[in-house]
Amino acid sequence: MSLNENLTNDIDEIRVPVSISKFLLKEDDILDEDLLYYDNLKKGTMLTKALISAIQQMDMVETVKVLRLKKIIDEENEENEKRKIEVIQKEEEKTENIEKMSDTEIKLGFTDEKTDKKIAEAIRNTINKIRGKDYQTNLENTAKEIEKSIQEQPTSQTQKIEIQKIINEISQSLVDTLSLQKILPIKNKTDVLSLSFSNKSTSNYFLDLVVSNQTLFVNSAKSIVLKFINSFGDDNGGIILSSLFQFSENEDYILSHSIFVMSMSILIAKELTKLAYEKTIQRNVTQQNSQSKVDTKFLKVISLKTFDLEELINIGIASIMHDVGLRKNFGTILPSFKFPKTSYSKIELHPSESSFFAQRINLDVKVQRAIYEHHEYMDGSGYPKGINKYLSKYSPIIAFAERFSELVLENPFISKPLPPALAINYILKNEIQKYDKDVLFAFIRSTSTYPIGSWVKLSNNMIGLVTNLSPKDKTKQIVKVISDDQFRKLPTPKIIDLSETNDVKITEILNPIDLSKKLGDLKTYYFD
């Protein structure tokens, strides 16, 4: 026998002292104590099946000290670990989350209390999953970093309570936004199609119930928004392209427009929260001097431009519902629909009517106000009241997203849609006074001056789609090239990261409507 074999045998014979229930004794265990007064149950006795049976019948014995083979203990521990994992997996399978909720269940949840409670639980579980196990620790650490960034500490107890509340709100928003970066976004065209169909189907059903005064519960509406957030996380490219992807000139414009506004509003709110992070924690960490500190007034302003997961959901619901007043007065509106001149008064009433519907189903007051204010502008030129100061922190976001959507999607309110890049340029040149500058900056920073979804011509005479911003340089784009300028399609689209080359630049913005006449349905290139 070799030395290795001897060592292996020696290891296999190692015994470990354990104290266990008499009902868990095994043959070949060796007693490590004298058991009462029995001669055949002395310390050192190897247990047999008969001896184990005798011990188990002793009323005065509950646990027994034995020496058990280490290899058997290791095998037992391994088996127990497997069982634990199986139990955890089964529990996770039982746990409701929003991805497991079918469209049928979500629709039923608007009117059925039992299903509504099930959806509420799924929402909680999904939010907790996004936030992760370290959520509370991250929250506390973030709050401490914000406290460090404050220039002057509050003196009165009232001020301390108020500032602490603001710090907690900002902390939650920052941690939630950073948590979204961990979500693996959907990329497959089939998955995007499925999500698009689900969004339209459930949102359309929701709007019809609202108009007919049949909506009893709103967790189903929250689930529509959360499902969207959980599908794309922090992937701005996916958010924009999916919202363009779902639009159809043969379907209800109000529905497609509302989903588009939801997408853009969530994107902007996320970016505003990131900007807040940079203005507080990140600046304090990188500069570490008195000039990097912020005063409490600035902190209050920051709190109005940060959004946690619950607020992102609220923004989404406000976006879906903001034009329900038009649905009530005009029914299904195709993009080619022409409003009669006599209907203009009804059009101007729709923010008030939409807000009334939101109030009737007991939505958050900020949601109601945002719906009411979605056509109000900061220069006072909007309607229905012509105000120049918003009462909801969601309003400046939705007001801009609504206008941008109106410019880029075919609809009854404009003669011809603009490419995304021309739309943002038009706003910057002609309407900049109407919108919150931080909202504009957040949108441009997250999409660039050639927004994701723009069709462009490159300096190498190739034609492509802006699919995202370069992770290496957010001022540069990633372009999916599909043809040359003679409209000869490439066998396989080519991806160019403009941050990696100085030889290729965007030279021209192309109109997708004209381009589709040459290259066919452009949506086929949005996703792989």
Side-chain angles (χ1 to χ4, degrees):
M1 185 178 289
S2 69
L3 178 61
N4 285 340
E5 287 174 328
N6 281 328
L7 286 172
T8 302
N9 289 336
D10 289 343
I11 291 170
D12 287 345
E13 292 303 316
I14 291 175
R15 289 182 179 268
V16 177
V18 291
S19 181
I20 57 174
S21 165
K22 63 183 179 181
F23 297 107
L24 296 177
L25 292 171
K26 292 179 178 290
E27 291 183 68
D28 294 336
D29 281 346
I30 295 176
L31 286 176
D32 198 28
E33 64 177 336
D34 292 338
L35 214 55
L36 299 177
Y37 46 79
Y38 294 95
D39 291 336
N40 60 341
L41 293 176
K42 298 293 184 182
K43 185 175 180 178
T45 302
M46 183 173 285
L47 298 179
T48 62
K49 193 172 184 179
L51 290 174
I52 292 172
S53 178
I55 293 170
Q56 289 174 346
Q57 292 176 44
M58 296 176 183
D59 293 335
M60 297 180 67
V61 175
E62 292 297 331
T63 60
V64 183
K65 292 179 180 179
V66 298
L67 297 173
R68 179 166 289 177
L69 289 170
K70 184 178 183 299
K71 67 176 183 179
I72 292 177
I73 293 176
D74 290 343
E75 288 170 359
E76 288 174 342
N77 289 339
E78 190 176 335
E79 188 61 35
N80 287 336
E81 197 60 37
K82 284 181 181 177
R83 286 200 191 100
K84 283 181 186 177
I85 292 170
E86 287 174 3
V87 169
I88 291 170
Q89 287 175 339
K90 285 178 181 177
E91 286 300 315
E92 286 179 348
E93 287 172 7
K94 289 180 186 176
T95 301
E96 295 291 352
N97 68 59
I98 217 63
E99 298 305 315
K100 294 178 182 176
M101 304 300 296
S102 68
D103 288 357
T104 302
E105 286 178 298
I106 290 172
K107 289 176 180 178
L108 182 61
F110 287 114
T111 54
D112 180 72
E113 185 176 5
K114 185 177 178 182
T115 309
D116 174 70
K117 288 180 179 177
K118 183 179 178 182
I119 292 170
E121 181 189 356
I123 290 170
R124 282 193 298 272
N125 293 336
T126 304
I127 288 176
N128 289 337
K129 185 179 178 183
I130 292 172
R131 285 173 171 165
K133 296 178 182 177
D134 298 329
Y135 174 68
Q136 199 58 43
T137 303
N138 293 337
L139 208 56
E140 292 169 3
N141 291 339
T142 304
K144 288 176 184 175
E145 290 296 332
I146 294 174
E147 286 170 8
K148 288 180 190 176
S149 71
I150 300 175
Q151 198 169 46
E152 295 177 3
Q153 295 299 325
T155 52
S156 72
Q157 189 62 27
T158 304
Q159 282 180 322
K160 286 178 181 179
I161 292 171
E162 182 187 4
I163 293 301
Q164 191 58 54
K165 181 174 179 289
I166 291 171
I167 289 172
N168 292 341
E169 289 173 357
I170 296 174
S171 300
Q172 186 161 319
S173 299
L174 299 184
V175 172
D176 279 357
T177 299
L178 294 176
S179 296
L180 293 175
Q181 296 176 359
K182 301 173 188 174
I183 293 175
L184 188 65
I186 60 174
K187 295 286 187 183
N188 184 279
K189 188 184 293 184
T190 303
D191 293 335
V192 176
L193 272 171
S194 176
L195 178 68
S196 174
F197 178 83
S198 175
N199 281 344
K200 285 185 175 180
S201 176
T202 49
S203 297
N204 191 52
Y205 187 78
F206 171 49
L207 294 178
D208 282 344
L209 286 180
V210 169
V211 169
S212 58
N213 197 25
Q214 296 180 58
T215 304
L216 301 178
F217 309 103
V218 296
N219 281 314
S220 285
K222 293 179 181 179
S223 75
I224 296 170
V225 182
L226 184 56
K227 194 172 185 179
F228 180 85
I229 292 170
N230 199 39
S231 295
F232 293 105
D234 201 39
D235 178 18
N236 290 342
I239 290 172
I240 295 175
L241 292 178
S242 69
S243 57
L244 290 170
F245 188 78
Q246 58 86 33
F247 178 77
S248 171
E249 59 187 24
N250 299 315
E251 294 180 346
D252 181 20
Y253 164 71
I254 297 300
L255 182 62
S256 294
H257 164 70
S258 298
I259 292 172
F260 189 94
V261 171
M262 175 191 76
S263 307
M264 296 303 101
S265 296
I266 289 171
L267 179 147
I268 293 167
K270 288 194 301 100
E271 199 65 30
L272 281 170
T273 307
K274 291 178 191 175
L275 285 169
Y277 173 77
E278 292 169 11
K279 290 178 180 180
T280 53
I281 295 176
Q282 198 172 66
R283 185 172 69 169
N284 190 46
V285 170
T286 54
Q287 294 183 17
Q288 293 186 333
N289 57 46
S290 59
Q291 292 182 344
S292 69
K293 302 290 184 180
V294 297
D295 59 31
T296 52
K297 288 181 181 179
F298 182 72
L299 209 61
K300 290 177 184 178
V301 173
I302 288 284
S303 71
L304 296 175
K305 294 183 178 179
T306 58
F307 305 87
D308 61 25
L309 274 170
E310 283 83 1
E311 289 180 311
L312 290 181
I313 292 171
N314 277 344
I315 289 171
I317 293 176
S319 300
I320 292 173
M321 279 198 65
H322 78 283
D323 276 346
V324 69
L326 290 175
R327 168 71 72 95
K328 175 230 173 193
N329 287 321
F330 299 100
T332 298
I333 300 174
L334 295 179
S336 57
F337 179 78
K338 301 297 180 187
F339 286 100
K341 291 182 180 179
T342 54
S343 65
Y344 288 168
S345 59
K346 284 186 177 181
I347 292 173
E348 292 200 348
L349 277 175
H350 83 270
S352 304
E353 291 183 300
S354 299
S355 179
F356 171 73
F357 281 121
Q359 182 182 11
R360 198 158 66 177
I361 60 176
N362 296 317
L363 289 178
D364 185 281
V365 174
K366 290 178 186 174
V367 173
Q368 296 176 32
R369 290 300 310 184
I371 292 171
Y372 182 82
E373 295 174 344
H374 76 269
H375 276 297
E376 298 286 6
Y377 302 125
M378 296 190 75
D379 63 353
S381 65
Y383 66 90
K385 289 289 186 182
I387 60 175
N388 58 10
K389 187 176 181 180
Y390 294 117
L391 296 180
S392 170
K393 66 188 286 190
Y394 311 148
S395 299
I397 295 174
I398 296 175
F400 170 78
E402 206 281 339
R403 178 57 172 157
F404 182 72
S405 171
E406 188 179 81
L407 289 173
V408 300
L409 300 181
E410 185 181 351
N411 65 83
F413 301 101
I414 60 171
S415 57
K416 188 177 181 181
L418 297 172
L422 294 185
I424 189 62
N425 288 341
Y426 176 85
I427 290 172
L428 292 174
K429 184 178 179 181
N430 301 290
E431 300 178 350
I432 192 168
Q433 72 282 358
K434 293 184 177 184
Y435 304 104
D436 185 301
K437 304 298 186 294
D438 288 333
V439 169
L440 286 170
F441 180 69
F443 177 78
I444 292 170
R445 197 178 83 147
S446 61
T447 64
S448 88
T449 50
Y450 297 102
I452 297 161
S454 299
W455 287 91
V456 295
K457 183 178 178 182
L458 302 176
S459 56
N460 60 359
N461 293 323
M462 302 303 283
I463 291 172
L465 169 70
V466 177
T467 60
N468 219 323
L469 302 186
S470 171
K472 300 172 185 175
D473 181 352
K474 293 294 185 182
T475 66
K476 303 291 184 180
Q477 299 76 27
I478 292 176
V479 180
K480 180 188 284 187
V481 176
I482 65 162
S483 81
D484 62 18
D485 60 354
Q486 299 301 310
F487 310 110
R488 293 184 292 246
K489 293 183 184 180
L490 302 181
T492 304
K494 180 182 178 183
I495 304 298
I496 297 179
D497 185 337
L498 297 184
S499 71
E500 296 177 351
T501 175
N502 293 321
D503 299 328
V504 181
K505 294 179 175 61
I506 294 174
T507 59
E508 186 180 347
I509 301 163
L510 303 176
N511 189 309
I513 294 176
D514 296 335
L515 195 60
S516 63
K517 295 173 183 177
K518 304 285 187 180
L519 295 173
D521 185 5
L522 299 179
K523 290 181 181 179
T524 58
Y525 299 102
Y526 286 173
F527 294 93
D528 296 330

